[in-house]
Every structure is written in structure tokens, then in C-alpha cells.
Amino acid sequence: MRALTAVLCVLALLAVPRPAQAQPQAAPPPDPINTLLRNIERAMNAADRAAFGSYFEVPPVLVQGYVADLFVPGAVRSVVRERDRAPLEAVPVGLGYRVVVEFFVETAGRARLLTASLDLKRPPDGDVASWRVVNAEGLTSIQGIYKLRLQNKMQYAAKNFEITAEDFSLTLAEGNVFLVECDEGVTGLVLLGRGEMRFNPRPASEKGQLRLYSGSETLVTPFEDAFVRLSPADYAARTRTAALSGVPADPRLLRRAQEVFEAQATRSYVIDLREFSRDDWFLVPQADDFLSEVDTRRFGVLTYSKANAQAEDISLFHREKRKTIALYSSLNKIALRGRFFSDDFLRDYDVSDYNIEAAINPARQFLQARARLAIRTRASTSTVQLRLAETVAVTSVTSIEFGPLLHLRLRGQNMVLINLPRLLPPDSDLTLILTYTGRIEPQSLETESVQPGIQDNPVADGTIATEPNYLLSNRSYWYPQNPVPDYATATLRLSVPEGYTCVASGEPLEGTNAVTLRDIMALPEGSRVFNFRANQPLRYLAFVVSRFNTVVDRTIVLGDDGSDPNAAHVDLHLVANPRQMGRGRAVSKPAEDIVRFYTSLMGEAPFPSMTIALIESQSPGGHSPGFLVVVNEPLPTSENIVSWRSDPAWFDGFPEFFLAHELAHQWWGQAVGWKNYHEQWLSEGFAQYFAALYAQKTRGEKTFTDMLRQFRRWSLADSDQGPVHLGYRLGHIKNEPRVFRAVAYNKGAAVLHMLRRLLGDDQFFAGLRAFYDDRKFQKAGTDDLQRAFETLSGRKLDRFFERWIYGTDIPRLTYRATTRDRSVVVRFEQSADAIFDVPVTVTLTLADGRTQDVVVPVTDAVVEQTITATSPVRQVQVNRDNAALAEFEQR
């Protein structure tokens, strides 16, 4: 019975319909284009010219040209990559394509990369094997790509061997040298043994930075190994080969030399060819370029570089700690262009307009984007370099003029190198379109916040987490941009997930002016698109994505009473994180007052709209791109309040300071930019002083004097850390960004106030307006500022700026006051070796209790002035308002 039951169960199972088994799917037919390209690649690798030519149905002379370019003598490997494909016009669908192809041809020591446009067709009744190249056009090529090899047969015993560059030398008292070669000759050396590195920078400011770093104005340090790169053409001139004698390589020393070579070679001059080759490929330094990685006993590995492509071509750098120890111009650079320079000196092209479309995911810190750049060349060029974050993948580069273009990454430099099919002369127009995708970390405000290095996360148990925000701006390289910053107009179309808001550079566009991104790229359900247009040129573009609520949307009519309907106006938008809505309402009126006040000083507002975003942070601070002002609002639970009060940019009696400072950047830093990093005080010092002027207007003389006192205190304390002109490098050596704020911000503001007191209010503010009008939407330098004030005042100011902006000294003034019944004779003395221009306030306290202030311009070694009083004098005080940056001693 059990057996029958079992059989019935089996029959029942067999009777149950089974799902149809998946039939093996036929393999997709081979891609005919890929098949043809693989055939061409095989012919190249087999050095079979006949087979290569059989895939072309073009005139023989064209085939011969391609054979000459691609069949390189000694070629060991070739790779063919398809970059782009589009149907051929006037050809039935599926019978023809225009394909952009890259050919990588490698020999034992060098490589070439060529791009070509190939028209591919097959006969109407042809099979896969019948596809042929029916037209070919070479587009572009990159030459001069090399492998490096460490010479392993010979080593060179060294005795007092020396290799030199400007202000730099390596001396190997005793040891061995291994040569690094490429097909062009000797392009490097590995030094092993008992050596000494000597670096003696010429500029006084760099000597000061070196003293902060090493304790001495000349760095002399032993080393045991060093790696050098140079141009093969410079090898004989930079070395004394008589100090070398060749001997067979010692295996132990060779292994050590190989370790140094492998550790240091790939740090510089590397080109990213990973999709073509697993090997490292290098560019050769240009003539007079030089680089050395020196493993010192005391400081670790230091990098000395002389790179003629840079405006300041000499540098000493600590890679691991990311410290710039010295950075300045060589004697040849100064002879060529003078002491002062603009970054524009190195700019081969201008970007006049950006058009950027991006889908942003703030939670993943990820964006998918397409950017179109309108370019005008300034010099003859066959390549374009664009700064773009290395963390994003560039999927295509095309131009309206030339179609798809060859592009490569310069490893470790956030740089894309684009090769053009021909040399473009000056004043040529070029439109580039880049598509890219990837993760970019948000920008940290660091030196723009009084407490650097704190992210928007809890800092301790019980601390409330701040509202997340995603800021990408000038240091993020989130869009492809000129490596030498310039001014450009822009259109931004930015998509963010549901629940988020985006504010960005430019006027917000609504209604018919808005263009949706949904026509361009697929967006997640619920996405919101924000559109912005900047018709005024901007230095850089930025956006912030967060959960924002609108606080204010208001039009500010400028002028005395706002009654003129045709008067200029500014659209003010204020948004805030949800917990900052109360603070937003509180600052909306001061924000309007600040804009009106600055406009009254400068005669206009640079941009037709300003968006203020209040974001939560653990520290106060801000950031101010054109059209957009980001202000950090600390939470009440922040634990950093004590440290804020010891910061140069914290003013107890002026809670609107950060708002006033950041709004001032719309004029100073954005409308008027700086020629190079040395001129950052034209942004920060000016914003600091304008904020102080607003404090004087709204909070009174006491608050203003308190700010002057703080300016002076920090200036005197930190001036020895470097001149105002050192820019962002102030405090860099010691990892102390407060030094930057003390000197560039506070000393810069104090210098402006002293200049005002020397010239008088009328000439000072007229000079400021003339400077602003002359340099609006351009870069400026201290020399431009000096010229504007000299023109207005008719007096020479070279000594004033030389001492206060380019120098570090603080003058010491001795004084004596002789009191008579209704007058005082004051006498000031200073060193005749370095005379400063110092306006000193002398305050007389009269018998009736009133005070009388007189500004005495101390502009010579000895200055004596008689001050007449309106009643008997009871007391004389010097610099009671703290407006003069000097040490005073009464005699």
C-alpha cells in the first residue's frame, strides 16, 4: 500500500505543470564597429601594414599617411579605443557611422596618442566582415610621453658632487649617483650618501617664512638620499660631472636607488594613461625646469621646484604636511615682467561665459553635470587645461568647432588636459562641452570661520547636530574652469532632491525665464530645479544646498528716501535653516541697512540681487561669492564660544560683524578681485574696514574705537609672521589661520584707516570710488590702489605702501609733549633708517573737561607740531584711539 501511495505521489508530481525552462539565449551579434577596430588593432600589433590597409577604402596616400603615423619603428604595443559614435548622414540606418577613435602606440621607451575621425560603412548586402573605413581625418595627437628607467648597469661614485638651481643646491660630499633616463637622455638622478641640501631664498619675506619653519633664514640640512628631475638639455649645465666616476652597479645600492626612484618618480610629471597601459608614463621637464625630492634628516622629504610655467616659479614644499615653505619669482621672471604681476600673465585663454546643468545629491555629495564654456584665446594654443576635481570622471569633451576631443588627466593636479586638432591663433573662439559625474566633498570654510577645522557634526556628547548643508565653491573645483581665474558671466540650472532648496551665484530665475533640467537629464521623482543667471561677470561660481525656508524677498530701492521709482535697486533674498528663522528675521533689517550704507559709500551695488543664506555651524564665519552671502550661525550649544573671543575676527560689541563683513565682499573680493594671492588684503582688509565703518555708523564711536584697538593689538602681535602681502600663506607654516586674519584682515583694515587719516575723508573716499570704478569686474593689485590714491591726492604714497603692505616692521616712535597755557608742542622721533608714515592722534583734555583731538602726520624722522587749545590743557594723550600702528615711548 505504501508503494502504491508513493507511486501515486510521483505521478501527481509529474502531472503538475512545470514552469517552462529558460531557453539558452543566443549570444548577441558582434558589434561590427568594434570588430573592425579590433581587426585594425591586431594588424597594428602584428606590424602587418598590408592587413591594416585592407580595412581602408580611401586613397592610397591617406592610408600611407596613417601607416607612417601609426606604424612607429620599434613599436611593441598598440591600443585602439572608440570614443564616440554617430550615424553618418545620407546613409541608410545601420550602414554607416562616424567614429572618433584614439590610437595609443607604445615603443620600449615612449608613446604617442592620436585621435582620428573615421567614417565607417558597409555595403547594403555586406556581412560583419565587410565594414571598411571610407574616410579618415586625423584630429589631434600628443607627443613627448616617456617611460623613465633607472640605469641599472652603472653607478657613479661621487666626491663633492654638486647639482644646482636658483637659490638651491645639493652637494654629495661622498656617495653614489644613479642616472634616470628616457629616450631623450638623462632626465633625473638618484643621489645616495652623505649629502647636504642648501636653500637660501632671495626675498626678505621668504627668508622670514623660512625662519619660522626652520629657525634660520638659510636652510642647511643633511640628507642621505634625493631624487632629481630636469630637462635632458640641462643635465650638463646643472651638474659637475667631473666629480663622478662610473663603476659597475652594486646590487645593494641599486636596490636602494630603485626604492627611492619608485617612491619619488610618480609624484610629478605623470600623465594618466591607465586605460591604455598599466605602466607609468611621464612628461619631460621643459628647459630650465627643475625638481628635487630631498629626504632630509630633520624635516623629512622636502620638494624644491623651479617651474617656468608658474608666475612664481620657485617653491619649497613639504608634500606630506601640505606646507608651502617658500614661493616666489625667479630673477628671470622679475626681469621679464617686473616686481608686480597678475595671474593673468599666464592665461592663454579667457572663459567669457559658463552654462552649467547639474543634478545634485547632497546626501551622497554627488553630482552629474554638463558644462559649456565659451572661450576666446589670448595666445596661440593647441591645448586647453581646465581645473576640475579629480574625484569626478569626465565622460566626454566636445567642441562645437571640432567635435569630440582627446582629453587626459594630469594625475594629482585636479586638471584635465584637452588637445585641439590644430593650433588656434590668438582671438579665436572655442566652445567646449564637458560631461562629468562623481563625488565632491563640500567646501570647508576654514579661514573664513573664526574656529577652523570644525565640520557640521556634533563636537561632543549632548551637542546638537547642525543642519546638513552642501557648499561647493571656489576651492571645490566642481565645474571645469580656467586654471588662472578670470571673470565670466554664467547660467546655472541645478536640480536637488525633494525637500531641499538651492541658492547659488546669480539672479534666481522664475517662470518663463526658467529652463527645466528635465529636458536634459533624467531626474528622480520629486526633484526641484533652480535656475540662476549672472549677467555681471563673476570670479567664480558657487551654490549651497540645504533645507532652507524663505525669510525675506524684498526689493531695496537705493537712494536717500526711496521715493524715486526709477532709482537703482537691489533684490534682497534671505533664506535660513529651519532653526535659524528667528535669527533670519532679526538680521533682515540690518542686512538692508548694510547694503544701503555700502552703496552710499561706493555709489552703487555691484549686483542686482543678493541672496543671504543663514546656515547652522559650530562656529561663526561666512563665505561670499558673487550674488550669494553665506553666514554661519552657531547653535546655542556650541562649545567653542570661549575660543571665539580670542580670535582676531570676533568683536563682542558688534553682533552684526560677520554679516557686514561678508556683504562687503560683494564689492571687495567679488566686484573687485585680486591679481594674485598676495593681494587678498584688498578683499579681506577692505571687508574688515567697511564692517568697522558700519559699526561706527550704527553702534557709535566706542564700538568703532574698540575695533581699532583690536586691529592694532593683533597687528602688533603678529606682524612679524609675515607682511600683509603674503596673503593666505600668513600662518600657514605654523598651522595657525588666526595669523592670516590678524594680518590680512586686521592690519589691512588698520592700514586703510591710517591712509584715510593721512589723506582726509574727501580724498580717501573719492580715491576708493575711483579705484572701484576703474577695476570693477577685474582683478586689482596694491599698485592699482596706490595709483588711484596718488592721482586723487597728488602725493606720492610709495613709501606708505612699501612699509605697511610689503614690510613686517612696526615703527617705534618716541614723543615729548610740552604743555603751555593754551597750547601743546608735541615732538615725535623715529629711526631715520626706515621712516614710516604714521598719522598719530594727539588728544588734549582741557580744564573744562572737554577733549580735543588733532591728527599729527608723522612722516619724517623728526616731526614737531604746536597744537593750539581753546582752554587750558590738563592732560596730553597720544594714540588714545589706537588708530596708529606703532609702539610709543614717552620721553
Side-chain angles (χ1 to χ4, degrees):
M1 189 66 175
R2 290 178 180 171
L4 178 59
T5 302
V7 170
L8 290 174
C9 289
V10 171
L11 292 174
L13 289 173
L14 293 174
V16 175
R18 295 187 177 183
Q21 293 186 357
Q23 297 296 320
Q25 292 187 356
D31 176 13
I33 305 304
N34 185 61
T35 299
L36 177 60
L37 296 181
R38 297 289 73 75
N39 288 337
I40 292 173
E41 182 181 86
R42 279 190 287 271
M44 292 173 61
N45 281 301
D48 191 337
R49 302 186 180 201
F52 178 86
S54 69
Y55 299 114
F56 287 74
E57 292 181 358
V58 298
V61 65
L62 191 56
V63 176
Q64 292 169 8
Y66 268 75
V67 167
D69 283 337
L70 299 175
F71 285 74
V72 178
V76 296
R77 182 170 168 271
S78 298
V79 179
V80 181
R81 289 281 185 269
E82 178 184 349
R83 281 294 181 212
D84 190 64
R85 182 188 306 191
L88 273 179
E89 296 181 4
V91 173
V93 176
L95 297 184
Y97 295 94
R98 175 160 292 168
V99 181
V100 176
V101 174
E102 289 176 2
F103 297 93
F104 176 77
V105 182
E106 173 186 346
T107 67
R110 70 171 69 189
R112 303 177 68 199
L113 192 58
L114 302 93
T115 303
S117 175
L118 306 180
D119 290 350
L120 311 181
K121 290 178 63 176
R122 72 172 174 87
D125 56 350
D127 58 13
V128 170
S130 66
W131 283 83
R132 291 294 182 271
V133 179
V134 298
N135 187 37
E137 179 184 353
L139 294 179
T140 185
S141 65
I142 295 179
Q143 313 283 348
I145 306 171
Y146 297 92
K147 286 182 181 178
L148 300 186
R149 51 186 179 270
L150 184 71
Q151 194 180 97
N152 56 13
K153 301 296 183 184
M154 296 285 292
Q155 67 188 53
Y156 294 85
K159 191 77 171 177
N160 295 322
F161 172 72
E162 186 177 46
I163 185 165
T164 61
E166 187 168 332
D167 298 340
F168 176 85
S169 66
L170 294 175
T171 302
L172 197 59
E174 190 172 15
N176 291 275
V177 175
F178 288 81
L179 301 183
V180 178
E181 299 173 315
C182 70
D183 281 7
E184 294 295 314
V186 176
T187 186
L189 305 93
V190 175
L191 281 61
L192 304 175
R194 183 165 55 86
E196 179 183 87
M197 168 186 155
R198 177 177 292 268
F199 176 61
N200 184 21
R202 173 180 34 81
S205 60
E206 302 304 329
K207 289 180 182 294
Q209 293 303 293
L210 190 59
R211 184 177 62 251
L212 292 174
Y213 181 75
S214 68
S216 173
E217 293 184 350
T218 299
L219 183 100
V220 180
T221 182
F223 72 87
E224 294 183 353
D225 65 71
F227 174 77
V228 173
R229 284 296 309 276
L230 43 62
S231 168
D234 293 340
Y235 171 63
R238 289 200 182 275
T239 61
R240 291 193 297 109
T241 54
L244 299 177
S245 58
V247 296
D250 175 272
R252 181 182 59 84
L253 290 175
L254 177 60
R255 282 194 300 272
R256 185 178 165 204
Q258 190 71 40
E259 290 172 356
V260 173
F261 173 74
E262 292 175 355
Q264 304 296 348
T266 55
R267 289 174 173 257
S268 55
Y269 296 104
V270 184
I271 191 165
D272 192 343
L273 295 175
R274 282 175 288 189
E275 62 180 315
F276 296 101
S277 171
R278 296 180 180 178
D279 297 327
D280 291 320
W281 293 91
F282 298 84
L283 301 174
V284 169
Q286 298 296 307
D288 200 37
D289 282 2
F290 181 91
L291 181 136
S292 182
E293 306 277 2
V294 187
D295 192 356
T296 68
R297 291 180 186 173
R298 178 181 172 189
F299 304 102
V301 178
L302 297 179
T303 303
Y304 169 90
S305 174
K306 184 171 187 303
N308 285 294
Q310 302 299 319
E312 292 184 303
D313 48 335
I314 295 177
S315 67
L316 186 68
F317 188 69
H318 195 302
R319 284 188 195 271
E320 300 305 324
K321 294 183 178 180
R322 301 186 64 82
K323 283 190 183 302
T324 301
I325 303 163
L327 179 64
Y328 58 98
S329 300
S330 66
L331 291 172
N332 283 341
K333 284 281 187 190
I334 292 174
L336 177 66
R337 55 129 209 272
R339 176 185 180 187
F340 303 108
F341 71 95
S342 171
D343 289 335
D344 294 342
F345 182 78
L346 299 173
R347 202 165 78 227
D348 291 332
Y349 64 89
D350 294 319
V351 179
S352 60
D353 186 72
Y354 291 97
N355 195 307
I356 301 173
E357 302 127 359
I360 304 159
N361 186 325
R364 294 178 56 208
Q365 300 179 357
F366 189 90
L367 75 161
Q368 174 190 358
R370 182 174 72 176
R372 187 179 69 210
L373 289 66
I375 290 174
R376 169 67 65 90
T377 61
R378 294 163 56 101
S380 297
T381 184
S382 60
T383 60
V384 172
Q385 293 189 50
L386 293 173
R387 187 84 69 185
L388 184 62
E390 194 151 331
T391 54
V392 303
V394 178
T395 54
S396 72
V397 178
T398 62
S399 82
I400 292 176
E401 297 79 7
F402 304 117
L405 297 174
L406 171 63
H407 62 279
L408 299 169
R409 278 286 191 180
L410 299 182
R411 195 182 303 171
Q413 299 185 42
N414 293 311
M415 196 79 74
V416 179
L417 177 66
I418 301 168
N419 221 35
L420 305 177
R422 59 181 174 82
L423 184 70
L424 292 184
D427 298 322
S428 297
D429 290 318
L430 177 68
T431 302
L432 294 179
I433 302 171
L434 289 82
T435 58
Y436 56 97
T437 183
R439 184 179 184 275
I440 302 180
E441 292 188 0
Q443 180 166 316
S444 170
L445 296 185
E446 294 181 349
T447 58
E448 295 151 302
S449 173
V450 299
Q451 183 67 26
I454 296 177
Q455 302 299 318
D456 288 338
N457 292 308
V459 294
D461 292 340
T463 300
I464 299 174
T466 56
E467 181 74 46
N469 65 82
Y470 187 49
L471 167 67
L472 295 186
S473 189
N474 55 327
R475 296 195 303 272
S476 304
Y477 307 130
W478 68 273
Y479 63 98
Q481 56 199 269
N482 199 329
V484 182
D486 59 353
Y487 279 85
T489 56
T491 300
L492 303 179
R493 302 177 184 90
L494 307 175
S495 162
V496 299
E498 186 176 13
Y500 286 92
T501 297
C502 179
V503 291
S505 303
E507 289 185 82
L509 301 181
E510 302 291 346
T512 57
N513 290 329
V515 178
T516 178
L517 265 178
R518 298 180 191 280
D519 299 331
I520 300 163
M521 58 183 70
L523 300 178
E525 189 67 29
S527 296
R528 302 176 64 193
V529 177
F530 295 85
N531 298 268
F532 305 88
R533 174 63 191 170
N535 290 315
Q536 290 73 23
L538 300 177
R539 286 181 55 227
Y540 55 84
L541 308 176
F543 68 79
V544 185
V545 176
S546 189
R547 290 180 172 85
F548 287 126
N549 293 332
T550 298
V551 180
V552 166
D553 274 315
R554 178 184 302 156
T555 297
I556 305 173
V557 179
L558 304 174
D560 291 336
D561 58 9
S563 61
D564 181 1
N566 297 316
H569 64 273
V570 175
D571 292 329
L572 180 66
H573 311 283
L574 199 157
V575 299
N577 288 148
R579 284 182 296 214
Q580 297 299 323
M581 290 293 290
R583 175 62 178 157
R585 287 186 288 269
V587 303
S588 63
K589 185 61 170 63
E592 179 177 342
D593 290 343
I594 292 167
V595 172
R596 288 186 182 278
F597 176 63
Y598 291 165
T599 303
S600 71
L601 293 178
M602 301 313 302
E604 68 154 24
F607 305 110
S609 76
M610 296 183 191
T611 298
I612 300 171
L614 302 185
I615 65 173
E616 294 181 349
S617 175
Q618 296 295 345
S619 306
H623 181 58
S624 189
F627 287 88
L628 176 63
V629 173
V630 182
V631 179
N632 286 0
E633 288 294 334
L635 292 172
T637 56
S638 175
E639 296 188 348
N640 302 310
I641 293 176
V642 173
S643 70
W644 301 344
R645 300 184 187 281
S646 62
D647 192 275
W650 177 258
F651 302 95
D652 272 326
F654 186 22
E656 300 88 10
F657 166 75
F658 289 105
L659 179 64
H661 179 97
E662 297 305 331
L663 278 168
H665 277 312
Q666 297 296 298
W667 284 262
W668 307 112
Q670 297 306 329
V672 176
W674 19 277
K675 289 181 177 179
N676 56 63
Y677 74 90
H678 290 290
E679 307 290 3
Q680 284 176 284
W681 83 280
L682 298 178
S683 171
E684 299 299 351
F686 274 56
Q688 199 82 334
Y689 189 55
F690 267 54
L693 292 176
Y694 178 72
Q696 183 182 31
K697 175 181 180 293
T698 58
R699 300 257 168 193
E701 288 299 325
K702 181 182 184 308
T703 299
F704 183 64
T705 301
D706 288 345
M707 294 184 74
L708 291 180
R709 181 181 296 108
Q710 189 156 320
F711 291 168
R712 179 175 184 270
R713 177 169 65 87
W714 281 100
S715 298
L716 268 57
D718 285 352
S719 279
D720 62 348
Q721 300 297 297
V724 172
H725 204 241
L726 199 64
Y728 78 88
R729 291 174 54 207
L730 289 160
H732 177 69
I733 293 291
K734 299 293 187 181
N735 289 327
E736 183 47 87
R738 293 184 184 187
V739 172
F740 175 60
R741 292 193 289 280
V743 179
Y745 285 53
N746 286 2
K747 186 177 179 181
V751 169
L752 285 175
H753 189 61
M754 289 192 295
L755 182 61
R756 175 186 173 187
R757 293 167 73 80
L758 279 175
L759 300 180
D761 281 7
D762 289 345
Q763 289 187 352
F764 176 77
F765 287 107
L768 277 186
R769 286 190 290 271
F771 172 60
Y772 173 83
D773 291 341
D774 179 55
R775 304 310 300 173
K776 183 181 176 184
F777 302 139
Q778 299 178 71
K779 299 177 184 178
T782 303
D783 54 330
D784 299 307
L785 180 69
Q786 177 181 331
R787 186 164 48 251
F789 280 118
E790 287 181 341
T791 300
L792 261 294
S793 66
R795 61 189 291 179
K796 296 292 290 181
L797 296 168
D798 50 335
R799 185 175 66 191
F800 178 88
F801 286 100
E802 190 66 38
R803 295 283 187 263
W804 292 117
I805 302 302
Y806 306 114
T808 59
D809 292 341
I810 295 293
R812 177 174 292 277
L813 304 184
T814 60
Y815 71 94
R816 182 174 67 247
T818 304
T819 305
R820 297 166 183 164
D821 182 33
R822 292 179 180 269
S823 67
V824 172
V825 177
V826 290
R827 178 185 175 89
F828 292 93
E829 297 182 19
Q830 62 175 310
S831 172
D833 294 333
I835 295 175
F836 283 75
D837 298 307
V838 190
V840 181
T841 302
V842 178
T843 301
L844 308 183
T845 302
L846 307 180
D848 57 10
R850 292 179 296 116
T851 59
Q852 179 180 340
D853 287 339
V854 177
V855 176
V856 177
V858 180
T859 58
D860 212 334
V862 178
V863 172
E864 186 171 287
Q865 183 170 324
T866 299
I867 303 172
T868 301
T870 57
S871 66
V873 177
R874 189 172 65 194
Q875 183 182 21
V876 179
Q877 294 171 285
V878 169
N879 201 38
R880 189 176 76 166
D881 59 358
N882 289 280
L885 298 186
E887 300 279 9
F888 291 92
E889 179 183 353
Q890 185 175 10
R891 286 187 175 179

